C-alpha cells in the first residue's frame, strides 16, 4: 500500500488501499503523540504554510500542532491580513509563498474547487483543509480512523449522517470514503438542508429521525453551518431543530449497542446534540479531535516523502 | 522546597516556600536568558497553547518567548478568531485543544475565576495569565523577583500600591503574596477605584499620596484600566489624575532611599507616572519585563515537571 | 568586505562593498534554500520579533521564514492587537520587547524615519522592513541580487523605475543602492506620482513610457499604493493608468534584449502589468520573492554575528 500523489484534495479520488495507508500511518503518529516527548524530525527543514482564506481556529491549530511535532517550520497565513485584500489573485498569492520554497500548503477556502485549482498551479503539495461545500478529506480520515479504532472493521457497518448535509464538506468527504470501505451510509436532513440531487451520493435517505437511527453503528451529527446558508433560515429556531433533528439520550437507544457518536465541532449544545449525549459514554467527539492531529501528521509526512 | 500542583492559578493559594521555589527557579532561567544562546530543551516535544480570550500582546509575547526558549511547540489561540464566536462553550473549546495532547495552557480571560474553572475541567496544566479582576500570579512573581534581586529581602519592606486597585488583578496577586513574605502593603486609590470592602485585603489604606509614599521601599503604580471600568469615568481627565494620584520626581522623595518604582505596563505617561520618573534611575519597569520571561520559564518548567 | 553595524536601516548609508557583502552572503543562503533540508542553526537561541506596526503578510512571512530557517525563535507582533492602542509610546513598546532579551527586530511602520528612531533607542538590532516613504532596504538588496544573478554585473546597466515613485520606499532604496553600483536609473511616473524635487535623486527623468523603456536592461514596475495616497486619486481609472503607464508585450520590446521585469508585489494585473507580461519569459517577479528569503537570511545572520 502506498500513496503516490503530490496533493491530498479529497477522498473522492482515493482508493480503498490509499485510505488504509493513511490510517496505518496515522496509527504510528498517534503512538508518538502518546509519548512523553511528542516530536519527530521527519519534516525538519521543511516549510509548511497554513493558508487559511477562511477562518478556522480549530483546524488551523490541529494542522499547526501536527506540523510542529514533525519538526517543520510552520507559518500561519490568514486572509484577513492578506494581499488578496490589496487586489492580488489567489494564484499569485500562493505562487509568491511557493517561491519562498514552501513545501506544503494547508489550504482552507470558502470556494468549492479552490484546493484543486491551487494544486494545479503550484509545485508545492496541497492539503485540502476544507474547500467550500466540496471536501474536507482529513476530517473523513480522522472519522474513519476513529471508527476502525473502536469497531475494528468497516465492512457492513451502518452510519447515519444527520443534519445540514447540503452545506457539509464533511458529509461529502465521508460519503465518498465510506462507500469505498463497504460502509452503508444513511442520510437524514431537514428538507432545506438535503442536497437537491441527493441520489448522486448513492445513500439511503431516511424520512424520520427514528428511521435514520435504526440499527446504526455510527451517528454522525453535522454542525448547523449558519455562516454558509446565505440569508435564508432553514428552520425556525434551535429548539425546533433539536426537537426534530437533534440527538438526545432516547434517540441514541434506537442505534445498535455502543454506537459511536461523532460531531465535527464546534457543537451547538442543545441544538444538534443534547449535553447528556455530548458528554455521555458514546460520544467520540474528543477522540475525533485527538485522532485528527495524528491523521494530519500522517498526511503531511506522506506528502513530504512523495516530494523526494 | 517544591511545588506539587498541576496548575498555577493565583498567589492566594501559594505558601511562602512555594513562592520562593518559583523565584529560585526563575533565577536559573534569568541566567540562561543572559547567555549568548538562550535555549533549553526542557519542554522539547511538549505543546503549550497561549489561549487568550482577552487580548494582551505583551503578556502573550512574554509567555510565547518563554515557551519557545524552553523548546516547546508554542501555539497561539486568540478569541477574536475562535469557535467561541460560533457558539461553542469555553470548556468545549479548551477540551478540544486538550484532546490534541496539549500539555499546558496559558489562559487569559476577562472573567474572574475562569482560570480555576478551566483548570478543574481539564487534565492539562493551566497557568493563569490574568482572569478578570481576580489574579495574575506571574505578574506578582516577577514583581517579587525584582524586589528580592534589588532589596535582598522581603521581611519588613514597605510597599505602596497606588491607582486603580478595584480593577487590578495585579494588585490582588501582589497583596496575597506579599503578606506571606512579611511585606507591609499600603493602598492608595481614587475613591471610585478603591475596592468597596477594602478591609478584606488587610492592608493599610492611605488618605493622601504623601501618606501613601511615606517611607516605602517599593512604589507600585497601577495602570488606569479604562477598558475595565464600564461606561462610568472615575476621574475627570488624565491631568486631574496625574495631579492627585500620579507619580512625579518630588513625590518619589517621600519614599525611602533608592525606592523601586514598578508599573505593570503599558504606561500612560503623564497620567500614572511622569516621564522623568518612568525613565529615571529608580524605575524598574523594564527589569520587571525582563524578569517576567524568566519567571514564566520557571512556571512552565515546574508545571511540566509535575506532569511526570 | 564586511558590514560592521548594529542595524540595517537603509541602502543610503551602505557602501558598494557593504552591498556586495550582503549579496555574497545571500548566495550561500540561496544554496541552503535549494537543499532538501533548509535549516541552519546560526540563530539558535536568538529571539527575532517581527514588529509590524503596518500590515504586510508577504514581507512578514518572508522574514518569518528566514528567521525560522536560521533556527531563531521567531515571534510576530502586529499593531492591530498592540499596546500602542492602549496609549503606549512606540519606544516603550519596543523597549519592553527588548527587555525580554530580543536580539533583532524587523520593523515595519507607516512613518518615515521610524526605523532609525527605534534603532537609536534600543540595543537590539533593527532591520528596516519598510518605513513610510523612506526605505525598504531588503527589497533593494533582493532586486540587486536578482540583477547580478541574471546579468552578471551592475556597471553600466540601465534600469527604468516606473509608476508611483513619490510613494515608493522601494524606489528610494533602489535608487540609492544602484547609484553606488554604477547603474543608470531612469524614472517615469504620472505627474501626481513624481516626487516634487525629483532632482535630489540624480536620475534621468523620462517624459513618455517609450522614452523610459528605450534600451533598458531592467524594468522595475511599482505598485499603485492606493493606501498611501490619502484621499486624492492620482489617475482616473486602472484602465487609464494601464494605457499610459502600464507594461504590455509591445512596450517590453523597446527595452534591450532579455530585460528583467520586476515588481515588488502584490501585482494589480491589468493595471501596472498585463498578465501576458507578468507571466511571460521576462518576468522575474517570483525570482525576486525567492531571493528575498535568502537576502533576509543573510541580513539576519550578519546582524546577529555583529552582536558578538
Amino acid at each position: 500500500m502506498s500513496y503516490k500523489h503530490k496533493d491530498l484534495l479529497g477522498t473522492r479520488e482515493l482508493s480503498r488501499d490509499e485510505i488504509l495507508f493513511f490510517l496505518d500511518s496515522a496509527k504510528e503518529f498517534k503512538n508518538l503523540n502518546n509519548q512523553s516527548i511528542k516530536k519527530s524530525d521527519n519534516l525538519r527543514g521543511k516549510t509548511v504554510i497554513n493558508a487559511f482564506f477562511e477562518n478556522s481556529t480549530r483546524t488551523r491549530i490541529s494542522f499547526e500542532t501536527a506540523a510542529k511535532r514533525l519538526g517543520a517550520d510552520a507559518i500561519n497565513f490568514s486572509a484577513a491580513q492578506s494581499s488578496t485584500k490589496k487586489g492580488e489573485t489567489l494564484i499569485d498569492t500562493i505562487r509568491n509563498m511557493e517561491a519562498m520554497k514552501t513545501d506544503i500548503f494547508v489550504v482552507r477556502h470558502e470556494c468549492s474547487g479552490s484546493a484543486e485549482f491551487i494544486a494545479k498551479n503550484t509545485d508545492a503539495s496541497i492539503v485540502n483543509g476544507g474547500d467550500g461545500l466540496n471536501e474536507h478529506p482529513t476530517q473523513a480520515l480522522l472519522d474513519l480512523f476513529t471508527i476502525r479504532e473502536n469497531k475494528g472493521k468497516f465492512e457492513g457497518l451502518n452510519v447515519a449522517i444527520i443534519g445540514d448535509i447540503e452545506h457539509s464538506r464533511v458529509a461529502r468527504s465521508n460519503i465518498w470514503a465510506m462507500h469505498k470501505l463497504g460502509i452503508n451510509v444513511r442520510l437524514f436532513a431537514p428538507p432545506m438542508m438535503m442536497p437537491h440531487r441527493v441520489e448522486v451520493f448513492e445513500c439511503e435517505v431516511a424520512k424520520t429521525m427514528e428511521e435514520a437511527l435504526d440499527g446504526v453503528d455510527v451517528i454522525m451529527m453535522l454542525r448547523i453551518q449558519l455562516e454558509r446558508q446565505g440569508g435564508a433560515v432553514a428552520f425556525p429556531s434551535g429548539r425546533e431543530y433539536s426537537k426534530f433533528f437533534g440527538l438526545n439520550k432516547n434517540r441514541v437507544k434506537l442505534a445498535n449497542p455502543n454506537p459511536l457518536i461523532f460531531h465535527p465541532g464546534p457543537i451547538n449544545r442543545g441544538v444538534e446534540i443534547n449535553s447528556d449525549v455530548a458528554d455521555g459514554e458514546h460520544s467520540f467527539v474528543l477522540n475525533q479531535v485527538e485522532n485528527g492531529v495524528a491523521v494530519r501528521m500522517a498526511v503531511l509526512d506522506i506528502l513530504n516523502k512523495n516530494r523526494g
Side-chain angles (χ1 to χ4, degrees), chain A:
Chain A
M1 288 193 301
S2 67
Y3 182 75
K4 294 295 185 196
H5 306 281
K6 175 172 85 75
D7 313 295
L8 177 62
L9 301 178
T11 60
R12 199 166 190 174
E13 304 85 44
L14 294 183
S15 70
R16 184 181 167 283
D17 276 1
E18 286 172 332
I19 292 171
L20 296 176
F21 180 64
F22 279 114
L23 301 188
D24 287 348
S25 172
K27 199 167 175 205
E28 291 173 38
F29 288 109
K30 180 160 185 177
N31 289 340
L32 177 64
N33 288 339
N34 282 320
Q35 303 293 311
S36 170
I37 296 180
K38 305 175 283 281
K39 197 81 178 183
S40 124
D41 62 359
N42 287 17
L43 265 72
R44 187 168 181 274
K46 308 296 180 176
T47 302
V48 176
I49 295 189
N50 287 315
F52 275 54
F53 296 89
E54 180 183 75
N55 273 338
S56 169
T57 299
R58 172 188 311 254
T59 306
R60 190 262 299 168
I61 289 181
S62 181
F63 272 110
E64 185 180 347
T65 300
K68 286 182 169 172
R69 287 196 185 148
L70 291 166
D73 292 332
I75 289 174
N76 291 319
F77 163 94
S78 82
Q81 315 151 295
S82 90
S83 299
T84 50
K85 289 212 169 162
K86 295 188 185 173
E88 191 175 45
T89 67
L90 175 60
I91 293 302
D92 279 348
T93 299
I94 292 290
R95 281 204 182 132
N96 262 280
M97 293 191 284
E98 179 196 1
M100 296 176 197
K101 302 287 177 187
T102 299
D103 298 280
I104 304 178
F105 290 96
V106 178
V107 175
R108 171 164 287 208
H109 198 287
E110 64 199 345
C111 295
S112 302
S114 51
E116 186 182 347
F117 178 60
I118 290 170
K120 284 187 173 158
N121 283 282
T122 174
D123 291 329
S125 292
I126 302 298
V127 181
N128 184 358
D131 64 326
L133 308 182
N134 183 37
E135 284 246 26
H136 191 359
T138 58
Q139 178 73 36
L141 290 173
L142 71 87
D143 289 335
L144 293 169
F145 186 96
T146 310
I147 291 172
R148 189 169 75 169
E149 189 172 49
N150 292 283
K151 292 295 179 188
K153 62 167 187 174
F154 293 119
E155 194 71 35
L157 290 180
N158 295 306
V159 174
I161 303 181
I162 295 169
D164 185 3
I165 293 166
E166 165 70 2
H167 302 94
S168 176
R169 51 200 176 202
V170 174
R172 280 170 181 73
S173 287
N174 265 300
I175 292 168
W176 308 134
M178 288 177 171
H179 282 337
K180 289 169 186 170
L181 297 166
I183 296 175
N184 307 311
V185 182
R186 198 179 296 160
L187 307 178
F188 181 58
M192 299 282 286
M193 294 176 165
M194 182 63 85
H196 291 191
R197 300 197 308 125
V198 67
E199 61 277 10
V200 302
F201 295 120
E202 302 181 358
C203 296
E204 294 173 56
V205 177
K207 292 222 174 60
T208 64
M209 194 67 176
E210 288 63 34
E211 190 187 326
L213 294 170
D214 180 48
V216 297
D217 305 287
V218 180
I219 307 171
M220 183 177 292
M221 302 303 294
L222 299 177
R223 177 177 159 72
I224 300 305
Q225 308 248 21
L226 292 169
E227 62 271 32
R228 254 186 275 288
Q229 289 182 42
V233 173
F235 55 92
S237 73
R239 231 174 92 198
E240 294 275 313
Y241 186 89
S242 171
K243 185 172 170 193
F244 294 106
F245 309 101
L247 195 63
N248 56 39
K249 260 198 162 165
N250 279 335
R251 284 174 174 166
V252 170
K253 291 176 190 159
L254 299 168
N256 280 345
N258 299 315
L260 310 180
I261 298 172
F262 286 1
H263 189 294
I267 297 177
N268 297 303
R269 283 169 178 262
V271 181
E272 303 114 24
I273 301 191
N274 278 12
S275 279
D276 52 2
V277 175
D279 300 328
E281 57 176 330
H282 301 309
S283 170
F284 283 77
V285 172
L286 295 178
N287 306 64
Q288 291 174 280
V289 175
E290 177 185 350
N291 294 334
V293 177
V295 159
R296 282 156 187 146
M297 290 172 81
V299 169
L300 293 174
D301 186 53
I302 288 167
L303 294 189
N304 178 57
K305 281 177 178 148
N306 289 352
R307 299 182 62 73

